[in-house]
Every structure is written in structure tokens, then in C-alpha cells.
Amino acid sequence: MTLLTTWPETGPDALVRRTSDPVEIAAALAPIGVRYEQWPVREDVPADADSDTVFTAYRAEIDKLNAEEGFQTVDVVALHPSEDPQWPAKAAAARQKFLAEHTHDDDDEVRFFVAGAGIFYLHVAGEVHAVYCEKGDLLGVPRGTTHWFDMGTSPAFTAIRFFHEEDGWIGNFTGSPIAERFPDFDEIHAGYAA
């Protein structure tokens, strides 16, 4: 289940909002320009499915979103635990890339979770919104929105990425240590799963 937790930007000592209701989540995020919706989950698509399988399963939804938004590039990104002895180092490096607060000047950050989970932290208007996304969730973070992403210390997800620009993901890092003040993926996931 998806979870939205909102705190003041000063830290997680005070809670502004916490909900797992998809309608409430969409309504809370809409005023800051963030798109949240749920697509039908294809239970026959394995968590580690290849790109062709994912594209085939979600073709109707991808085509509809492309028609609405005019995306130039759509791809599938996946990160799942592996027996590879290099896996822990690869996972840590992948996670570190997104943990710092940043913006995107030229594109929105739009992701649909085919499998697994991740958290987008949105720092907007004096608040931090942690959106725990799972299988079936689509989140669209508008260009210019200050945010960061955490996939946890043992990433396990498959997501469809949508880009208006062919260059893809280009982050402008703010240099702020704000992400260090808030619960990370592992903390939120452990509390949510309990």
C-alpha cells in the first residue's frame, strides 16, 4: 500500500499528515503539482521481468500517458538483489546517486512502479512529503520541484520511466543536507510493514 507522510521542513518531530488512502494522497499532492495515480497491477508480470514483458503488459497505460504528456523516451529500470559479490557495492552506489536533494530543470520525473517500492521526498512550501510508492503507483514530480529519492539499502524494484527530453535524468543538486534529517526508506518501510 502507498503511504504519504508529511512533516514540516524543520524535521520529523511534528507530523502534518499521514495517510494510505489513494484519494487523499492524490488530493494532498495535486496543489503542489504532483501527479499521483494508480494503474491496474498485472499480477502475471514477475518482479524481475524484462523490458519487453513490462512494455507489453502496460502498453495501453503507457500509450495513454504518452498521448497526454508527449513523452519522447520511455524505458524500464530495475534493481533487484543478486548473488553477484559486487551487488552490495552496486546497490549502495545506485542509492547514493539519488539521496541528495535536487531538482530537474528540463524535465519532470515520472515513474510507474511495476514491482517493489521506493520513496520520493518532495520538499515544497516549507514541508517535506514522503511518498512511499509501491507496485501500481505512478508519481509525476514536476520539473523544478526540490526532491530526493530513496530505494533503501537493499533495493528491489522495477519501474517505468518517462522523459520529455531524450537526455533523461539530469539532476541539479542543492547541496542541502536536509535529507539526512528525515527517516530513510528502511525506517519507513520497517514501520509501515509492522
Side-chain angles (χ1 to χ4, degrees):
M1 238 200 235
T2 310
L3 178 68
L4 169 65
T5 307
T6 303
W7 303 281
E9 67 185 0
T10 53
D13 294 336
L15 185 66
V16 174
R17 174 186 302 108
R18 185 175 174 94
T19 181
S20 60
D21 181 301
V23 174
E24 288 180 23
I25 292 170
L29 296 177
I32 60 172
V34 174
R35 178 184 195 142
Y36 171 76
E37 58 189 59
Q38 291 184 317
W39 288 0
V41 172
R42 308 286 192 260
E43 296 295 349
D44 58 332
V45 177
D48 61 352
D50 64 27
S51 296
D52 289 341
T53 301
V54 171
F55 285 137
T56 299
Y58 288 97
R59 176 55 53 205
E61 291 84 359
I62 292 168
D63 289 348
K64 180 178 183 290
L65 188 58
N66 278 342
E68 291 172 7
E69 298 286 339
F71 292 109
Q72 299 296 310
T73 304
V74 180
D75 68 11
V76 174
V77 63
L79 216 56
H80 295 278
S82 161
E83 297 299 319
D84 178 352
Q86 300 300 316
W87 164 250
K90 289 177 184 176
R95 180 182 188 220
Q96 195 60 42
K97 178 178 179 181
F98 305 108
L99 277 179
E101 184 183 68
H102 61 276
T103 62
H104 305 289
D105 289 341
D106 298 326
D107 213 342
D108 300 339
E109 188 162 345
V110 181
R111 305 291 182 265
F112 171 71
F113 285 80
V114 174
I119 300 177
F120 281 91
Y121 295 80
L122 314 168
H123 181 197
V124 180
E127 295 181 326
V128 171
H129 309 271
V131 188
Y132 181 100
C133 295
E134 291 189 314
K135 177 169 59 172
D137 291 331
L138 178 120
L139 193 75
V141 180
R143 71 188 72 199
T145 302
T146 309
H147 67 284
W148 66 94
F149 177 74
D150 190 3
M151 60 188 84
T153 54
S154 186
F157 71 91
T158 299
I160 302 172
R161 304 186 305 175
F162 297 84
F163 299 102
H164 290 106
E165 303 294 328
E166 291 189 23
D167 291 341
W169 194 95
I170 300 172
N172 302 309
F173 293 90
T174 67
S176 169
I178 187 170
E180 298 168 12
R181 293 200 303 260
F182 290 88
D184 66 10
F185 176 90
D186 293 339
E187 293 172 88
I188 291 175
H189 180 75
Y192 190 49

